[in-house]
Amino acid sequence: MNDDKQPKNALEPFAMSPADQVLRQQLNILDYWSEQAREKARETGTHVPIDLAVMPSSLPDRWSLSRGVELRAWQKACRDKWFKSGKRGVIKVVTGAGKTVLACGIIEQLQNSEAPQLRVAIVVPTVVLLAQWYELLTEHSNLPPGAVGRLGGGYQDKFDGAVRILVCVLNSAASKLSKLVASLTAPLLLIVDECHRAGATQMSEVFQTRRTYNLGLSATPEREVDAAEDEEAVLVDTEPDEPENFDDSLLGQELGPIIFELGYLEALKEGILARFQLQHYGLPLEPQERVRYERMSREITDLRRSLQSQVKGRGMDGGALVGWARKVASRGGSALSTQAANYVALTGQRKQLVYHAKARALAVERLVEQALADAEDTRILLFHESVAEVMRIFALLRQKGVPVVAEHSQLPDALRAESLHLFRTGAARVLVSARSLIEGFDVPAADVGIVVASSSSVRQRIQTLGRILRKKPGEDRAAFLHVLYMSETTDEMIYEKQDWAAVTGAERNRYFVWDPTQPGSR
């Protein structure tokens, strides 16, 4: 039973005042009317975007995919290493360093130097990444718009006519890509972006695609071996016998080995990423929260031991045990399924208790308030694992008068894009997101990041750090990443798995015990 008290009116934090309603209508009218004006301009030909006006209508003999962008020394070295490695391999580079620009450099040189009839299939995990790649390839290249196609997210383009590059969402690529290239006679380069996101089943389908060259991109391509230690982890599409050695994994076999690595310490030394400070805050559970947490933990431990004794010879624990318990619970009709269902329910309830802890919300308020007071143009990214908690924080900050927007997978694409746009332009100073921003989004540079809550995944924490380390042109301002965790709870597992001093440098990590419920603390 969940003891959390619910507000009398759950919609109250999200209720719009009359002024809010008028503002919403004004913005909707402006948006609609400006779109009508753009449509009319397109029909009459009264306005043509500059980038399109200078773009040739026919395919150029030599592609230029990153006009106005000079590759960094590491990008040139990495590009050369890919060619020397047989034009296959995976590139492991920290988020924010420029993997997409690097990929464009590889495509460009390959087409220019030895494959003039090249076709490129770029597989991405999300619709948002599809849009980002498409925007980059159409706005910063000399290719005409018709040369770049999209597959997925409502688009059904294919390699026909002038299409030379096809950006594909993973789900669509798994079911359609191999058929679309079956009749191609031109060489094909397959690029898998954020390749660690790809589930084994889907990627097996993608790798049925006949191709000549392979390129994988990721900040963390290897399987996280210790993921199963997080008993709240949800393991999706992960094979139980998946090799721990990357070269023996599906990605390693199909895309090639990891041929180039650029970590945080190297990227900082080269001036690629912004200077930063990591501040870790151990927060207390309230006495009532602690009592509930300990009671749940004892029950979870008893159920885990009982379930493990019935999992013959598998030695299962953590996330793997939770995944197995979900399957058993879904069958029903036995004492074992009842135990499994209780185990799954209790781990979920304990996780929600930790997420919803009072000190966590108060710490967010205090950190946001301080960051906004420190600099007028500060932009703050907040990360959380739970969509419900993202919306709770969004409502809380909005009621405090903070210019905040929200972004998560349960919002329509148009709203998600608008939130990113408002944050990018500075109209919104704070962006609250669920885990969708951790991997794959081209988030504008931010000064402050707050990890409100996260799983114990080392991979996710590394990806999160990369979200705030994109260097702003002409600036050398240090970025801050505040990491919140509840002391003496499963939140602390991340510190057992990773020595953050080894990843980011000891001098960049500071650790605090903080009770934000006490006035004047911190």
Side-chain angles (χ1 to χ4, degrees), residues 183-252:
S183 59
L184 275 183
T185 56
L188 178 76
L189 166 61
L190 175 66
I191 299 177
V192 184
D193 192 11
E194 301 291 348
C195 59
H196 64 273
R197 293 278 302 273
T201 302
Q202 289 176 316
M203 282 314 304
S204 294
E205 297 296 326
V206 170
F207 290 140
Q208 298 300 314
T209 302
R210 183 171 53 81
R211 73 269 188 196
T212 312
Y213 318 104
N214 295 282
L215 174 62
L217 305 171
S218 177
T220 51
E222 305 95 339
R223 182 170 85 93
E224 190 168 341
V225 177
D226 58 359
E229 294 174 16
D230 180 3
E231 54 185 35
E232 271 90 74
V234 181
L235 302 185
V236 181
D237 202 17
T238 299
E239 302 297 335
D241 58 350
E242 184 179 353
E244 294 182 4
N245 186 310
F246 179 80
D247 290 353
D248 296 330
S249 69
L250 176 66
L251 293 178

Side-chain angles (χ1 to χ4, degrees), residues 2 66 74 138 149 203 205 216 230 271 321 331 346 394 461 473 520:
N2 193 330
S66 50
W74 78 263
T138 54
M203 282 314 304
E205 297 296 326
D230 180 3
L321 181 60
R331 298 168 190 158
L346 276 170
F394 165 74
R461 190 66 58 86

Side-chain angles (χ1 to χ4, degrees), residues 93-376:
V93 177
V94 294
T95 303
K99 292 188 294 293
T100 306
V101 172
L102 162 67
C104 287
I106 288 175
I107 297 170
E108 182 179 307
Q109 181 162 316
L110 182 62
Q111 191 275 337
N112 289 182
S113 64
E114 60 183 270
Q117 299 303 314
L118 181 68
R119 304 296 192 274
V120 183
I122 303 168
V123 178
V124 299
T126 65
V127 174
V128 174
L129 264 177
L130 173 109
Q132 288 174 194
W133 271 97
Y134 181 78
E135 180 180 347
L136 175 69
L137 291 167
T138 54
E139 293 188 2
H140 298 281
S141 78
N142 65 344
L143 296 177
V148 183
R150 288 166 284 186
L151 178 64
Y155 298 95
Q156 299 294 333
D157 294 334
K158 52 189 176 181
F159 286 111
D160 61 357
V163 173
R164 293 295 183 271
I165 301 176
L166 189 63
V167 189
C168 319
V169 178
L170 177 59
N171 291 340
S172 298
S175 61
K176 299 176 181 178
L177 186 59
S178 63
K179 300 181 183 69
L180 292 181
V181 305
S183 59
L184 275 183
T185 56
L188 178 76
L189 166 61
L190 175 66
I191 299 177
V192 184
D193 192 11
E194 301 291 348
C195 59
H196 64 273
R197 293 278 302 273
T201 302
Q202 289 176 316
M203 282 314 304
S204 294
E205 297 296 326
V206 170
F207 290 140
Q208 298 300 314
T209 302
R210 183 171 53 81
R211 73 269 188 196
T212 312
Y213 318 104
N214 295 282
L215 174 62
L217 305 171
S218 177
T220 51
E222 305 95 339
R223 182 170 85 93
E224 190 168 341
V225 177
D226 58 359
E229 294 174 16
D230 180 3
E231 54 185 35
E232 271 90 74
V234 181
L235 302 185
V236 181
D237 202 17
T238 299
E239 302 297 335
D241 58 350
E242 184 179 353
E244 294 182 4
N245 186 310
F246 179 80
D247 290 353
D248 296 330
S249 69
L250 176 66
L251 293 178
Q253 290 290 312
E254 295 288 347
L255 295 175
I258 296 172
I259 60 171
F260 189 92
E261 296 189 39
L262 182 72
Y264 280 114
L265 294 179
E266 296 88 348
L268 286 163
K269 183 179 179 181
E270 295 296 325
I272 297 167
L273 299 179
R275 293 181 298 110
F276 69 93
Q277 181 75 49
L278 268 167
Q279 302 197 144
H280 309 259
Y281 295 96
L283 309 175
L285 290 174
E286 286 197 320
Q288 289 183 336
E289 293 171 339
R290 175 60 65 184
V291 169
R292 290 184 57 215
Y293 181 88
E294 297 298 343
R295 173 177 56 79
M296 288 181 182
S297 294
R298 287 192 297 271
E299 294 181 39
I300 288 169
T301 298
D302 291 343
L303 284 167
R304 183 195 303 121
R305 288 172 178 166
S306 177
L307 290 171
Q308 285 174 328
S309 70
Q310 300 176 71
V311 184
K312 297 179 181 179
R314 298 178 70 180
M316 194 179 291
D317 200 357
L321 181 60
V322 172
W324 174 81
R326 284 195 180 95
K327 292 180 181 177
V328 173
S330 66
R331 298 168 190 158
S334 69
L336 180 61
S337 64
T338 299
Q339 274 192 327
N342 289 338
Y343 179 69
V344 171
L346 276 170
T347 54
Q349 289 170 20
R350 184 175 66 175
K351 187 174 187 177
Q352 290 306 313
L353 183 153
V354 174
Y355 277 173
H356 204 72
K358 181 179 179 181
R360 203 185 289 270
L362 288 174
V364 170
E365 281 188 64
R366 296 271 296 276
L367 290 171
V368 169
E369 181 182 73
Q370 185 63 54
L372 292 176
D374 287 344
E376 292 183 356

